[in-house]
Amino acid sequence: MDDTYFMKLAFQEAKKARGSTWTNPLVGALIVKENQILSRGYHHLFGGDHAEVEAFKGLVNPNQAEGATMYVTLEPCSHYGKTPPCALKITKMGIHRVVIGQKDPNPLVCGKGIQILKEAGIQVTVLGVTAKMNEKYNFFYQQKRPFITLKYAMTLDGKINFEHGRRSLVSNHAAYLDSQKLRAAQQAILIGENTLMIDNPHLTIRTQKLAFEPIRILLVKDVDKLDPNLKIFTTNSPIWILSRHVSKRKWLPNILVFTDKNWAVTKILEFLTLHGIQSLLVEGGSHVQAAFVRKQLVDELVVYMAPKLFGGTALPAIRGVESLKVLDMKITKVKQLADNIRIEARRNDFVYRNY
């Protein structure tokens, strides 16, 4: 039983909070002495105690921490936020050694927690294991913008709707269930005005209960011209409306309106970054997705392909891209969903830094 073994167990703890930590990373921790696990902990909920504190709370007696080793998947925090710094807590508990999965890319921490531990005489080992479960958290602080996923369902001839203004059912139920999981893994979902009016979606997660629903973002010209009876306005999940015109209406508390005369892709990403949104799912429509492709701002593509042909004047995917430099993607996964196929691709030129 070595550091790698105990770190794997700490990662298993971290995964227990999937979907509950919002913009905080998933973090797990163990306290070990003489190859015996004394306590386990993980960050349960955004705003709650961090994994290290949970591990200390699990000890039968706080004195057990004296001379022990703590395994934690992410560098202990060093700043006062919703909770006090975990690095300081560790120095006061008598821990002899701390093994860290990865350095925290958040500039509020990024090495400062390690420094606090070392200055207190605690041995520190950083394994440099970057967890996929915190991929979008890492990406956000590396690239200073959200991780962007484009998603659509299309026919074998690349069409997403029969024709302009007419909603079409393309994918099957298995693809629907899979797309619900994809939504649940995001912090925000974006659609344009055409998709809003034609599809009239809820944009909610209906297959599982989440502590934090993704923010539903609507890109529109004039917010006050929207029909208040649209399905999206019948739920209490948060909605951000990006409008070119100022609203004179009084909206429900879960609906926020932001105004800019030109909500270009770069402006949208600056806005989301400012608000700490780490992942964005662009669901539609074709022209909105084309705008992201045109700017080469696609990190992941998820396509559900159905065995159908629409032909004729049916609407193609990502319509409206002109003068585009080729955006090279690498297919990373292909999955059969009954008679549909799910294709996942990542951009080919991006290198994820290992902290």
Side-chain angles (χ1 to χ4, degrees), residues 44-89:
H44 289 245
L45 187 70
F46 178 79
D49 286 337
H50 289 186
E52 300 92 325
V53 175
E54 287 289 336
F56 285 129
K57 286 164 61 176
L59 292 171
V60 175
N61 187 321
N63 292 334
Q64 288 181 298
E66 190 73 34
T69 296
M70 171 170 277
Y71 291 86
V72 59
T73 58
L74 187 69
E75 177 183 3
C77 65
S78 57
H79 62 291
Y80 285 88
K82 293 182 180 296
T83 60
C86 290
L88 288 179
K89 175 77 173 178

Side-chain angles (χ1 to χ4, degrees), residues 278-343:
Q278 298 166 9
S279 58
L280 174 67
L281 177 63
V282 182
E283 286 210 10
S286 184
H287 289 278
V288 172
Q289 292 188 336
F292 278 84
V293 172
R294 185 182 302 117
K295 289 294 184 180
Q296 308 249 318
L297 289 168
V298 180
D299 304 303
E300 179 180 58
L301 179 68
V302 176
V303 178
Y304 298 97
M305 183 177 291
K308 300 177 181 180
L309 296 172
F310 283 178
T313 59
L315 182 67
I318 314 182
R319 183 181 183 184
V321 178
E322 67 271 346
S323 302
L324 173 68
K325 177 184 176 183
V326 173
L327 182 55
D328 286 323
M329 306 291 288
K330 178 181 180 181
I331 295 177
T332 54
K333 188 181 297 183
V334 177
K335 181 180 180 181
Q336 191 83 32
L337 297 170
D339 65 346
N340 282 199
I341 295 175
R342 182 189 193 272
I343 302 172

Side-chain angles (χ1 to χ4, degrees), residues 190 219 242 244 260-271 288 291-292 294-295 297:
L190 172 70
L219 183 61
L242 309 184
R244 294 181 183 176
D260 195 289
K261 291 182 179 179
N262 180 24
W263 279 111
V265 168
T266 51
K267 179 83 70 174
I268 293 171
L269 294 184
E270 288 173 4
F271 169 79
V288 172
F292 278 84
R294 185 182 302 117
K295 289 294 184 180
L297 289 168

Side-chain angles (χ1 to χ4, degrees), residues 65-176:
E66 190 73 34
T69 296
M70 171 170 277
Y71 291 86
V72 59
T73 58
L74 187 69
E75 177 183 3
C77 65
S78 57
H79 62 291
Y80 285 88
K82 293 182 180 296
T83 60
C86 290
L88 288 179
K89 175 77 173 178
I90 293 170
T91 64
K92 296 175 182 178
M93 295 296 293
I95 290 289
H96 170 70
R97 179 173 178 248
V98 176
V99 181
I100 297 169
Q102 74 159 85
K103 188 176 175 182
D104 193 334
N106 186 338
L108 288 175
V109 184
C110 203
K112 300 181 182 70
I114 293 172
Q115 183 179 354
I116 289 173
L117 298 176
K118 288 183 175 180
E119 288 178 351
I122 296 173
Q123 296 179 21
V124 178
T125 301
V126 181
L127 298 182
V129 181
T130 302
K132 185 175 176 59
M133 64 185 182
N134 286 324
E135 177 184 50
K136 291 165 185 175
Y137 173 85
N138 288 328
F139 181 95
F140 179 79
Y141 288 108
Q142 291 172 13
Q143 303 299 315
K144 298 178 175 55
R145 66 166 176 83
F147 183 96
I148 302 165
T149 301
L150 260 62
K151 166 253 176 181
Y152 55 84
M154 72 175 190
T155 61
L156 290 175
D157 55 344
K159 306 300 174 63
I160 62 174
N161 265 328
F162 281 128
E163 56 194 19
H164 181 69
R166 181 181 172 189
R167 187 185 180 191
S168 313
L169 184 61
V170 177
S171 55
N172 63 17
H173 186 66
Y176 161 77

Side-chain angles (χ1 to χ4, degrees), residues 1-10 30 32 35 37 69 71 97 99 127:
M1 292 185 288
D2 57 8
D3 288 346
T4 302
Y5 170 79
F6 288 117
M7 187 57 67
K8 285 181 179 178
L9 295 181
L30 303 180
V32 177
N35 274 340
I37 299 173
T69 296
Y71 291 86
R97 179 173 178 248
V99 181
L127 298 182

